[in-house]
Amino acid sequence: MSSNYSRRRFLKTVVISAGAIAAGGLVGCGENHPDLIPPSSPSLPESPGLSGLTIDNERLLFPQSVASGDPRPDSIVLWTRFSGVDANPVPLTLEVSASGDFSRVVATSTIDAEEFHDFCLKVKVVGLDSGTKYFYRFSNDGNSTRTGQFRTAPEENSEENIKFAFLSCQDYVGRFYNTLTKLLEPAQDDLAFIVHLGDYIYETEGDPSFQTTGGARTITFDDAAGAIELPDSGGRAAASLSNYRQLYQTYRSDPKLQELHEKFAFINMWDDHEFSDDQWQDNGTYFDGRSKEKNTQRKKNAEQVFFEYQPVDVDPGTGAPAQPGEVNALQTFPFTILYRKFRFGKAINLNMADYRTFRPDHIIAEDAFPGSVIMEQRQVGDTLLVIPGDPFSANAAVDARVAGGMDLDSAIIAMVSDLVAAGALPLFPIIQLNAVTEASFSGFMATLNGLLASVGSAFSANPQPTLSEMLTAALVPGYMQEGLSATDASSKTSNILAAGRLDAVSINGTLDGFYQAVVDTVTGVPGSDVDATFAGLAASNPALAGLTLTRRLPDTLDDGTGTTLTEFGQLTTDPSWGFSGFGVSNALLGKQSLFASGGLGARYFMVKPTYDLYTAFRSLVSGDRAYDDAWGLQQTLSITSDLAVSDAWWNILGSSVSFTSLVLDASPAPPGSTDPTAGALDNALTALGVSASTLPRVPFYLNLDHWDGFPVRRTVLMDDPTGALATTLKAANVVVISGDIHANFASDHGTSLAKPGDNNRAVEFTVAGVSSSSFGRFVGNRAAAIVSPDDPVAGLAQGFALASQLDTFVGIASPTIDADGTVKQLKWSDTSVNGIAIMEVNQNQLTTSYYMLSDMPGLPTDIAATTTATSFYDNPAGLDDLWTKKVFRVQKVNGANGPVEDITS
């Protein structure tokens, strides 16, 4: 082995690079290349040490079979993995043939597979004929893989129609890939390729929060010490090279997945689970903010194994097609480029977008304190003035005040106050902590502190304690109960209070918890009645009479007697309460706990109106250009520039996550409404006994981990009101194919707002998971935790009762009417299934066919039932009566995408 190769290994090479054909033969990636075998020779060279094997060589020596990927008109990437011997390196011979019997071999070479890359081998074959079917196999010492096949892409000027499938989310743990059997039927033999949109693996060996543990298929990491222990579950997540390799080895051992790889070339993009659930850049989210999860080496391990096992044609350091040689660690994260484009004749221009490598953190951090202020009253006013459409008539209101002699600053603040008082803008009162001197509240704190001193647990040595001291006494134990050390809990509390302002509602919620702890300490009885205990203490000891005085800050526009705070005067005229105006805190966006348990309040179930207000502030007022830049500048320019010059019949964008907005509107029906769907979710929640305090009656975004998390950036990509991009997704008539969400959606994003006369539009087809737990099941489990956290059995029943109606509720909340009268966004959804999708295009029409198997067939009696729990591999005909199908069409109208039409027969 040469010194150059050793130096590459010293630099931590992370993926073996493909070879390339030169002068009619293959050049591999090993150090020394043997003479090329003439294409006419069918012989296979032998290697020492393996002669005489009489075993099932395909399964034992090549346990993951073969795979091909990234088909182009003149090239393909071919893959296999060798196993079963101690020799290193192991020479493998590749044959590529124009005939299935290998009588017309067009290229062959012997290349080393090495232990350093888990004996995986990728070879890029170039110089092939376009639009042609080829066969290939790898061998060692006369022992061969099963034969694989692929089809090269047609030339750019070809008018061939194209048919392909797209997939997402194939969990192995507890589930089988029954949905893949549909693609192995003879009717689908004409598929040109398969797009896998991500979550090819799941990085956990069994996470009970979303995986079906205890089923027929399990994974246990051999390198348990190299894995991450998941909190409160007993499961583990991959971290080491061994962990990630074991996952790919296991997933790729599935016989149906192997058959699919042997039959069709794949185009792969990663999503989050190839590295870590809900990841961004090199950060995980398992601990919901309790600890930092930035782990660059773990990310590099995940990338290395992805590039070892997936036949992708890209140099991750440059984004260019792969070249001979290897990629060293300096060329991968944070510099990895996996986004790339493909052309299939005149029919399809395909861009594969990378949503995970460059995107920033979720906008509301998992450890954000609910009461921390993120927008003050003036900032709210400035945002209302620039929101497109001026929905609150803010400009007219401010102009009228200025015309009446009020200065601009006062006019903006007064405009916001009036909207709050009218109930049009649900903001919270903001409290300046060091300004709270109101006599009754201060007296209560001093009296309570004295009481606690008598039992040896005063919260302050100060006889006149401050609100900050009281909050410190409440928050530090709270953070320690969540697992933080005393030092970290104190530091976190100090940072929260250092800002000097919190919302009154969250302050009161924190104090209520503190009072409960106080009375439990005094009485020695957990869960004691706070009011009764305080009253009893005051009645029995006149020195404690202060305990009957005010112990809460005013936090609403009503003092409980029907008197508004404006009339009551506490917040508007009495500075002793520390009121510093109205504003937005994290709590108003849905953050209710110290840490976002399961992502609630940070990645899921976020209050839509205030989330939209805050993101508009970040983008339109503060000028923040990075907080929502999910694609990064280079990728954005690459994709939009390519779309701007594309002359393909159809521009298709492969996005691992959906652009479709998913909203649950729990608002009550407006007074006098005659709309039968108005208040539907509110009525359902009420019928289940779910109070408004448990689940507020407001519109919610369901999932902030996909494009709903970046609504302003999504608008820019769709419509670009600034005109800064070369084109937009709507102007380019893009058809988005997406996954991740474990549900099927057919969506119409409407015509271009930037150029309303051209009728160009973007549409989207989102595919459910191959086998992963459906979005309906996810929502049922999450809803259970919200509506009944103390009664798991009742909570599941309530949660899944809501989940069974999810498609109705989402369909009610999400559609809007476009300028031409077209209903855009969701045309159809099915959130309770597994499945695959097949797309067929010709010059004038695109059809998408969904094939589905239910993930929740047992509702309402058997919540655990799923069609993927049992293998139908040996009896695919047993699925015949279980499949459902849905078909949609988009037609070209004067060169533009028409609306999404349901043509299911």
Side-chain angles (χ1 to χ4, degrees), residues 622-822:
S622 69
D624 190 341
R625 301 182 184 277
Y627 83 100
D628 68 346
D629 192 6
W631 277 0
L633 178 60
Q634 184 177 348
Q635 179 175 202
T636 300
L637 293 177
S638 175
I639 291 175
T640 56
S641 296
D642 179 69
L643 291 173
V645 299
S646 172
D647 61 353
W649 298 339
W650 299 93
N651 285 319
I652 297 177
L653 174 68
S655 173
S656 65
V657 300
S658 180
F659 282 80
T660 298
S661 189
L662 301 180
V663 178
L664 281 182
D665 191 352
S667 304
S673 173
T674 59
D675 183 352
T677 65
L681 179 55
D682 173 45
N683 294 335
L685 290 167
T686 301
L688 288 170
V690 181
S691 68
S693 60
T694 300
L695 190 69
R697 299 310 200 253
V698 295
F700 289 93
Y701 280 125
L702 276 174
N703 181 6
L704 275 295
D705 190 54
H706 71 174
W707 276 103
D708 267 348
F710 303 123
V712 178
R713 183 70 59 170
R714 175 175 56 194
T715 297
V716 170
L717 291 174
M718 283 288 176
D719 283 299
D720 189 22
T722 67
L725 300 179
T727 190
T728 66
L729 302 187
K730 289 183 179 179
N733 288 294
V734 164
V735 177
V736 181
I737 56 174
S738 56
D740 178 70
I741 195 67
H742 302 189
N744 287 327
F745 302 122
S747 309
D748 190 332
H749 293 290
T751 55
S752 175
L753 298 179
K755 297 179 180 179
D758 62 10
N759 294 319
N760 293 348
R761 76 172 66 235
V763 299
E764 181 171 13
F765 298 97
T766 304
V767 67
V770 166
S771 60
S772 303
S773 180
S774 66
F775 190 58
R777 187 174 292 279
F778 170 86
V779 169
N781 285 315
R782 286 295 190 271
I786 295 173
V787 301
S788 187
D790 299 323
D791 187 344
V793 175
L796 281 175
Q798 291 176 315
F800 277 86
L802 293 174
S804 67
Q805 304 175 70
L806 182 59
D807 294 312
T808 298
F809 296 141
V810 171
I812 291 171
S814 296
T816 56
I817 307 300
D818 205 2
D820 64 0
T822 300

Side-chain angles (χ1 to χ4, degrees), residues 81 187 213 233 242 262 296 333 446 485 491 556 564 660 741 757 859 877 887 892:
R81 173 179 177 268
T213 57
S233 73
S242 172
E262 291 161 7
T296 304
F333 184 84
S485 67
S491 175
T556 71
T564 66
T660 298
I741 195 67
L859 292 181
V887 184
K892 288 293 186 183

Side-chain angles (χ1 to χ4, degrees), residues 124-326:
K124 179 180 178 181
V125 184
V126 301
L128 301 172
D129 292 334
S130 62
T132 301
K133 185 175 184 178
Y134 288 95
F135 302 85
Y136 66 100
R137 63 189 178 190
F138 293 86
S139 62
N140 174 276
D141 195 16
N143 297 291
S144 174
T145 64
R146 293 193 292 278
T147 297
Q149 61 188 46
F150 63 87
R151 188 183 301 275
T152 52
E155 291 183 350
E156 189 166 337
N157 63 357
S158 169
E159 296 189 352
E160 176 184 342
N161 300 334
I162 298 294
K163 175 183 176 183
F164 70 97
F166 55 105
L167 319 173
S168 179
C169 305
Q170 54 187 43
D171 197 355
Y172 179 92
V173 175
R175 290 171 174 252
F176 292 90
Y177 302 155
N178 294 324
T179 55
L180 297 185
T181 62
K182 178 60 64 176
L183 298 176
L184 295 169
E185 294 176 356
Q188 313 308 336
D189 285 351
D190 56 345
L191 290 171
F193 56 93
I194 292 175
V195 173
H196 201 296
L197 293 159
D199 295 343
Y200 185 95
I201 62 163
Y202 280 72
E203 81 286 10
T204 49
E205 63 179 17
D207 184 343
S209 68
F210 68 91
Q211 286 180 305
T212 307
T213 57
R217 303 220 287 192
T218 61
I219 296 174
T220 302
F221 288 132
D222 296 334
D223 178 20
I228 297 171
E229 296 284 342
L230 297 176
D232 305 322
S233 73
R236 296 183 180 88
S240 68
L241 279 173
S242 172
N243 294 155
Y244 284 108
R245 284 170 172 167
Q246 185 177 350
L247 289 169
Y248 279 94
Q249 290 168 15
T250 304
Y251 278 58
R252 197 72 71 78
S253 70
D254 179 90
K256 293 304 172 186
L257 183 57
Q258 286 189 5
E259 285 184 50
L260 204 63
H261 274 292
E262 291 161 7
K263 196 169 184 179
F264 304 109
F266 273 52
I267 296 174
N268 287 81
M269 176 52 67
W270 54 38
D271 191 42
D272 52 344
H273 287 287
E274 281 85 355
F275 168 46
S276 191
D277 183 29
D278 287 353
Q279 61 111 154
W280 56 280
Q281 298 178 25
D282 55 348
N283 295 264
T285 59
Y286 303 123
F287 296 91
D288 292 322
R290 290 174 179 82
S291 60
K292 299 299 181 184
E293 297 189 57
K294 182 181 178 68
N295 190 332
T296 304
Q297 186 55 55
R298 180 183 179 223
K299 172 63 172 168
K300 287 180 176 291
N301 289 344
E303 284 195 2
Q304 173 172 340
V305 179
F306 175 89
F307 286 112
E308 285 174 348
Y309 276 81
Q310 297 290 25
V312 292
D313 181 18
V314 64
D315 180 332
T318 65
Q323 300 296 320
E326 296 186 335

Side-chain angles (χ1 to χ4, degrees), residues 548-565:
T548 63
L549 299 177
T550 303
R551 66 170 187 264
R552 292 177 115 254
L553 281 66
D555 64 7
T556 71
L557 287 176
D558 193 307
D559 69 349
T561 65
T563 304
T564 66
L565 291 177

